[in-house]
Amino acid sequence: MLAILLAHAVAALLAPLVVRRLGRNGFFPLAIVPLASLGWVIDKWGTVETLHITWVPGLSMDIDFRFDALSAIMAVLVLGVGTLILIYCARYFNDDEPRLGIFAAEMVAFAGAMFGLVTSDNMLLLYVFWELTTVLSFLLVGHYAERATSRRAATQALLVTTAGGLAMLVGMIILGQVGGSYNLSELVANPPTGWLPSVAIVLILIGALSKSAIVPLHFWLPGAMAAPTPVSGYLHAAAMVKAGIYLVARLAPGYADSPPWRVTIISLGLLSMILAGWRAMRAYDLKLVLAFGTVSQLGFMMVLVGIGTRDAALAGMTMVVAHAMFKAALFMVVGIIDHTTGTRDLRKLAHLGKAAPALAIIASLAAASMAGLPPLLGFVGKEAALESILETNALGHWSSIAVVTVIVLGSILTVGYSIRFIWGAFGRKTLSKPSPAVSKMHKPGWLFLFAPGLLAALGLAAGILSPQVEKLLTPYSTTLAPGPHADYHLALWHGFNTPLLLTSIVIAGGVALYIAQRQISRLHFEHPPLGNADRIYDATLRGMDTISMRLTGATQRGSLPRTQSTILATLVVVPLFLLIIDTKGGGVDLRMWDSPIQFTIALMMISAAIAATLMRNRLASVILVGLTGYGCGVLFALHGAPDLALTQFLVETLTLVIFVLVLRKFPAEVDESKAIGFKWPRAALAVAVGITVTTIAAFATNARNTRPIYELLPDAAYDLGNGKNVVNVLLVDIRAWDTLGEISVLLVAATGVASLVFRNRRFGIAPRVADAPSVIVDKAAANTDTTWLRGGDLIDPRHRSLVLEVTTRLIFPTIMVLSIYFFFSGHNAPGGGFAGGLTAGLALVLRYLAGGRYELGEAVPIDAGKILGLGLALAAGTALVSLFLGAPALSSAVFEFTLPLIGHVKLVTALFFDLGVYLIVVGLVLDVLRSLGARLDAEIEVKAP
């Protein structure tokens, strides 16, 4: 199973290259991948295969696959129809089709994602594949991105199915937590009981119903017909829309008797069958006729698999297989009609059956199966459905009769729009000669007809050989409870019985409905009699936009102080209110300080904070704020945390430099006349926030009733991460995932800041001395003084400090050596990649302050973006290498060896992850210096006389 997924992933990556090299014929080699995978499925049919890979057991994210009878049925449809669709694409598209390689990659990837979905046993893994199919569907439906209809359809499908998927995820988490397992096989075998699992089932059903386009979440499917026809034939006939059917069928053995199960599935399924069948009778686009018909039949199949009995499950699986065959074939037929005639409007087609008899035969066979006519598989499935519902005791006598009545009405509509499809596409109509579109058509080649022809023929063969088909479907149906009578068996002839009588009524009613359809078409409804879901969808989006605009307008007034005040007031009110109403009580034992030095430092920090609020000089305020940060670092050191203290000092220093760089563009003094609001309310809020944070910390500390985790960290750091520095081991090993996420955010923030400053384009490498204007170079050449820094010669003598240049020249190498020392020693002593990167960054800051922007270019003649990218690549690459070595992602390995002169060396692979952190910090500092420093300096030079 894992090999099949990897094969599809590799094929998807290679698809653009294959299609670029072979053109549309590149679909042929790509079809080999699902075809070979289908061979594996056939070989393993009747067996149960499982695959377990431990990944994140604490989050129940183990990779569990299970291939059983139901997975086999769905995999045959996914891979078999997928193979034929790829072959069909080789003649549907032209070589000049835009983005054809990307389209091929998405189709192959979708086949792999669907296979992963139907074989996933872990619900969280299933959800990943579920949403992957949603994203790929969005891309495929929106293939013609230049068309507004395609963009709207893709967005609509994405919003509806994603919203349903999120509801399903909540339900899965509830069910997994209550049931004690996230594996479907275990939850179905031992279903939990109670009201909470019922809520979970409803949420899961919302996801299933949205994916399978069941009313009221059905409207996205007809809109998705804006996609290329191969997408409609695969995703919206055989694969994606079957995902909801599959999930219901998977859960039915364990949850069919759950209180909300049948009432939700059967009522909405029947409503879908009638509503969509009625809409299919009124559509003129052949794809829309099939789209509404698909919604109708999905409702029918949902009812069958949702009843939860053995015979109904057999009938449901028969209809699932039959539907995949005839509907995929019919969609491909429509694609051929559109491709050869240039239209899908049944009003513009006449005498097509005479012009393309082979195509007409294929379409007639597939439509006959859709209508449930013998001897095709659609007839066998519909007979089984009627018999299983009439004989079931799961619904009650009168409920069974009501369900059968609605199914008969829906089947009459199915026969009606099936006849309408065939006659509208291939009939003579009232014309004595072919319509203009048909007269200009070009004949489809045999390879173009191969895929739909094979599916139509398989529908006929499967109907005739239905007892053999039953043997393939029975292993799943037997997992459900048997009915009150002997188990039903698939066959073309069961004698004269009630299902046969009902089928006769369906056929006669469908023919009569089609004959009367002219009268129906004359009614010319101004508004759809059963409502318009698209309009409801649009109204919902408009309402959400209005609410969001009003809410944003009320809370985001454009005032930063007001926004901050709202956030901070919420921080004060909510936690303190919860503490006040806490009924458990519990005292707080506070120890103010361990030594007078701590009290002195705290008093200095408080004084600096108060003074910062009173100062009018911006630079003085920044220095006072920095003093509070340095005081915090001293407190860390006094509490025995030198690593935290070192990081605090470095960060505070770098922050101070950044503030100074920014303040160059501001006036030195604050203009009190332009101040917003009053100081005392803001001061009171600040004090309240401080008290709140202190109170929460005190309660959190005193709430501990077990052994503190920090007592376990030193041993865990050494045993698991092979390091003595707990902080560094946490960052690069134990919680390396957090660090990877944080440095990714840091990289995005650096890119965003630089983009905002540069506006029109990013400056890569900081300018070097050779890039300086000739005027500045000539002035520097006239200076005969000793050159300590090359960039310093280009600074205006009025702003040049010889002492700073000499000092920088002397201590810069020392700081860089210290930076490297911090980097290498950090795993066992204070330091690490973050501290080392900050130290190197401060060395660059010193070079910039002493020698200006040209000196910065001389110090690091490398684009900051490349340094950031290399750092992220190293950090992420460490995770991937661990996986390829068979270890958990970002886990460390240890290598010990002896080198001459150096001696015994113990190398931990987390060092490479730490190197990525080091480079990202250096790149970030360099980016800040380029954007807030060198870029602003360039503007000042331009304005200078």
Side-chain angles (χ1 to χ4, degrees):
M1 287 178 282
L2 191 59
I4 291 176
L5 294 174
L6 292 176
H8 279 81
V10 172
L13 292 174
L14 297 178
L17 298 177
V18 173
V19 173
R20 182 183 301 175
R21 184 69 179 271
L22 302 177
R24 63 178 185 172
N25 291 327
F27 283 97
F28 291 130
L30 293 176
I32 296 175
V33 176
L35 181 61
S37 303
L38 179 62
W40 181 88
V41 171
I42 295 173
D43 179 64
K44 298 296 182 180
W45 197 283
T47 65
V48 176
E49 299 283 332
T50 59
L51 174 65
H52 173 78
I53 300 176
T54 301
W55 188 38
V56 190
L59 297 178
S60 301
M61 280 293 290
D62 290 343
I63 300 175
D64 287 302
F65 290 101
R66 179 182 174 88
F67 178 83
D68 56 12
L70 181 58
S71 299
I73 296 170
M74 300 303 298
V76 166
L77 301 183
V78 169
L79 300 173
V81 177
T83 301
L84 295 176
I85 289 289
L86 290 175
I87 295 173
Y88 175 81
C89 287
R91 289 299 172 265
Y92 178 83
F93 293 107
N94 297 320
D95 287 329
D96 58 352
E97 176 77 16
R99 301 181 296 277
L100 188 57
I102 299 299
F103 177 87
E106 291 164 355
M107 288 290 282
V108 175
F110 183 87
M114 275 301 301
F115 179 80
L117 189 154
V118 300
T119 55
S120 295
D121 194 25
N122 185 294
M123 290 192 296
L124 300 179
L125 182 64
L126 184 148
Y127 175 77
V128 171
F129 286 112
W130 187 281
E131 290 305 310
L132 187 58
T133 61
T134 297
V135 173
L136 290 170
S137 171
F138 167 76
L139 297 174
L140 289 166
V141 173
H143 175 67
Y144 298 119
E146 64 278 3
R147 303 176 185 174
T149 53
S150 295
R151 296 195 299 270
R152 170 186 165 82
T155 303
Q156 189 180 68
L158 180 69
L159 290 177
V160 174
T161 54
T162 301
L166 291 174
M168 183 185 72
L169 176 62
V170 176
M172 286 178 169
I173 293 174
I174 294 174
L175 193 63
Q177 292 298 113
V178 174
S181 173
Y182 278 82
N183 284 359
L184 284 168
S185 56
E186 298 178 14
L187 290 170
V188 171
N190 300 289
T193 58
W195 68 271
L196 199 54
S198 297
V199 172
I201 288 298
V202 171
L203 293 173
I204 292 174
L205 289 179
I206 290 174
L209 297 175
S210 67
K211 200 77 161 182
S212 290
I214 302 300
V215 171
L217 303 173
H218 66 290
F219 52 88
W220 68 265
L221 181 57
M225 294 304 106
T229 299
V231 175
S232 304
Y234 189 32
L235 276 67
H236 308 137
M240 175 178 160
V241 292
K242 295 294 195 324
I245 305 292
Y246 161 78
L247 187 57
V248 171
R250 175 64 72 188
L251 294 173
Y255 298 91
D257 294 325
S258 178
W261 180 272
R262 290 191 178 95
V263 64
T264 302
I265 293 175
I266 295 176
S267 59
L268 294 179
L270 294 176
L271 182 60
S272 301
M273 193 176 184
I274 298 298
L275 175 61
W278 168 254
R279 290 295 302 272
M281 290 297 297
R282 301 177 59 246
Y284 291 101
D285 187 320
L286 291 174
K287 280 184 76 172
L288 280 181
V289 173
L290 295 179
F292 284 113
T294 299
V295 175
S296 178
Q297 287 142 8
L298 286 170
F300 182 32
M301 288 180 280
M302 189 67 77
V303 170
L304 294 177
V305 298
I307 289 176
T309 62
R310 183 172 299 178
D311 293 347
L314 178 61
M317 286 297 103
T318 305
M319 285 305 303
V320 166
V321 175
H323 180 267
M325 291 179 181
F326 66 68
K327 193 53 68 71
L330 288 173
F331 270 118
M332 286 190 274
V333 165
V334 173
I336 295 173
I337 294 173
D338 191 15
H339 196 275
T340 55
T341 66
T343 183
R344 300 195 305 256
D345 193 329
L346 54 84
R347 294 169 294 187
K348 298 179 181 180
L349 298 170
H351 292 264
L352 181 58
K354 184 178 180 180
L359 185 63
I361 293 173
I362 293 171
S364 298
L365 277 175
S369 183
M370 180 169 65
L373 302 181
L376 291 108
L377 187 60
F379 167 77
V380 175
K382 193 162 291 184
E383 288 278 292
L386 295 172
E387 177 69 24
S388 63
I389 297 174
L390 286 171
E391 297 298 330
T392 185
N393 59 358
L395 302 178
H397 177 68
W398 293 109
S399 295
S400 297
I401 294 176
V403 171
V404 168
T405 302
V406 177
I407 288 177
V408 168
L409 293 175
S411 299
I412 290 174
L413 290 169
T414 303
V415 173
Y417 65 70
S418 298
I419 300 174
R420 185 167 183 262
F421 176 89
I422 294 298
W423 181 252
F426 298 97
R428 297 180 179 180
K429 312 289 179 55
T430 58
L431 302 179
S432 59
K433 59 180 181 180
S435 60
V438 175
S439 62
K440 297 178 182 179
M441 73 173 291
H442 57 86
K443 300 290 184 181
W446 70 269
L447 193 55
F448 207 5
L449 297 171
F450 170 74
L454 179 59
L455 287 173
L458 287 174
L460 175 61
I464 297 172
L465 302 174
S466 53
Q468 282 67 40
V469 174
E470 180 188 350
K471 295 178 182 178
L472 301 176
L473 305 180
T474 299
Y476 164 69
S477 63
T478 53
T479 61
L480 288 103
H485 305 288
D487 291 341
Y488 183 85
H489 297 283
L490 299 182
L492 277 174
W493 179 252
H494 287 278
F496 294 99
N497 55 13
T498 303
L500 183 62
L501 174 63
L502 294 175
T503 298
S504 302
I505 295 173
V506 166
I507 296 173
V511 173
L513 178 63
Y514 172 71
I515 295 173
Q517 65 103 13
R518 290 180 178 272
Q519 300 299 324
I520 297 174
S521 62
R522 290 196 185 103
L523 294 180
H524 297 299
F525 296 107
E526 182 178 353
H527 298 291
L530 297 178
N532 189 311
D534 272 333
R535 294 178 183 174
I536 298 174
Y537 166 80
D538 291 336
T540 302
L541 288 187
R542 286 195 301 270
M544 294 176 66
D545 285 341
T546 301
I547 294 173
S548 63
M549 289 294 292
R550 291 181 177 177
L551 183 62
T552 303
T555 57
Q556 303 291 331
R557 307 293 295 183
S559 170
L560 183 59
R562 187 172 298 177
T563 301
Q564 288 181 322
S565 298
T566 303
I567 296 172
L568 294 175
T570 304
L571 173 64
V572 171
V573 172
V574 175
L576 291 183
F577 175 75
L578 293 177
L579 287 175
I580 291 172
I581 65 173
D582 181 22
T583 57
K584 294 182 180 179
V588 175
D589 182 19
L590 292 179
R591 188 172 61 200
M592 300 303 294
W593 57 78
D594 293 325
S595 69
I597 299 178
Q598 294 174 346
F599 172 74
T600 304
I601 298 298
L603 190 60
M604 293 173 60
M605 293 171 62
I606 295 172
S607 301
I610 296 174
T613 63
L614 301 176
M615 281 289 177
R616 295 182 57 187
N617 185 278
R618 287 188 168 91
L619 181 59
S621 297
V622 168
I623 294 174
L624 288 171
V625 171
L627 184 60
T628 64
Y630 287 119
C632 185
V634 173
L635 291 178
F636 285 150
L638 292 176
H639 277 279
D643 211 300
L644 294 179
L646 174 64
T647 304
Q648 180 69 28
F649 289 140
L650 293 172
V651 169
E652 200 62 50
T653 304
L654 185 60
T655 305
L656 184 62
V657 171
I658 294 174
F659 267 115
V660 171
L661 293 177
V662 174
L663 289 179
R664 292 185 301 167
K665 303 293 289 186
F666 286 85
E669 300 287 334
V670 176
D671 188 353
E672 296 288 350
S673 63
K674 297 181 180 179
I676 300 176
F678 301 98
K679 284 187 175 182
W680 288 113
R682 283 183 283 169
L685 179 61
V687 173
V689 170
I691 294 174
T692 300
V693 173
T694 304
T695 303
I696 293 174
F699 273 93
T701 303
N702 285 269
R704 182 182 292 122
N705 53 19
T706 58
R707 184 183 180 187
I709 192 173
Y710 67 78
E711 295 182 5
L712 306 176
L713 287 178
D715 292 336
Y718 192 79
D719 296 336
L720 301 178
N722 297 280
K724 297 178 181 179
N725 184 351
V726 175
V727 175
N728 184 260
V729 173
L730 282 174
L731 292 176
V732 302
D733 192 303
I734 298 176
R735 301 195 63 178
W737 275 111
D738 290 348
T739 306
L740 182 61
E742 290 165 0
I743 60 178
S744 301
V745 172
L746 199 62
L747 189 148
V748 172
T751 304
V753 169
S755 300
L756 288 173
V757 173
F758 295 139
R759 293 191 298 274
N760 55 349
R761 68 184 183 90
R762 285 178 60 89
F763 282 61
I765 303 172
R768 305 182 66 178
V769 173
D771 302 324
S774 58
V775 176
I776 299 177
V777 174
D778 293 340
K779 289 182 179 179
N783 184 12
T784 58
D785 295 338
T786 303
T787 298
W788 293 94
L789 297 175
R790 294 191 63 190
D793 292 342
L794 305 182
I795 299 178
D796 190 321
R798 293 174 299 174
H799 307 301
R800 186 176 179 185
S801 172
L802 184 61
V803 174
L804 183 59
E805 288 186 25
V806 173
T807 305
T808 301
R809 180 70 177 269
L810 294 175
I811 69 172
F812 177 80
T814 305
I815 298 176
M816 291 304 300
V817 170
L818 181 63
S819 167
I820 296 172
Y821 168 77
F822 281 151
F823 168 69
F824 280 106
S825 68
H827 211 59
N828 294 292
F834 190 70
L838 287 173
T839 304
L842 289 175
L844 295 177
V845 168
L846 187 60
R847 287 284 289 267
Y848 166 72
L849 294 177
R853 66 192 188 103
Y854 297 108
E855 182 63 26
L856 182 63
E858 294 292 331
V860 186
I862 304 174
D863 184 4
K866 294 180 179 179
I867 298 177
L868 289 168
L870 178 61
L872 186 62
L874 276 172
T878 306
L880 294 177
V881 170
S882 299
L883 289 177
F884 282 116
L885 295 177
L890 291 174
S891 59
S892 299
V894 181
F895 300 94
E896 297 189 41
F897 48 88
T898 302
L899 293 177
L901 301 178
I902 297 177
H904 182 71
V905 176
K906 183 178 181 181
L907 176 64
V908 182
T909 55
L911 180 72
F912 301 104
F913 181 87
D914 216 11
L915 178 60
V917 176
Y918 180 95
L919 292 176
I920 286 178
V921 174
V922 172
L924 173 65
V925 175
L926 185 61
D927 219 14
V928 169
L929 292 176
R930 288 188 315 113
S931 57
L932 300 180
R935 175 61 173 161
L936 298 182
D937 289 342
E939 295 179 358
I940 294 173
E941 285 182 7
V942 172
K943 297 177 181 178

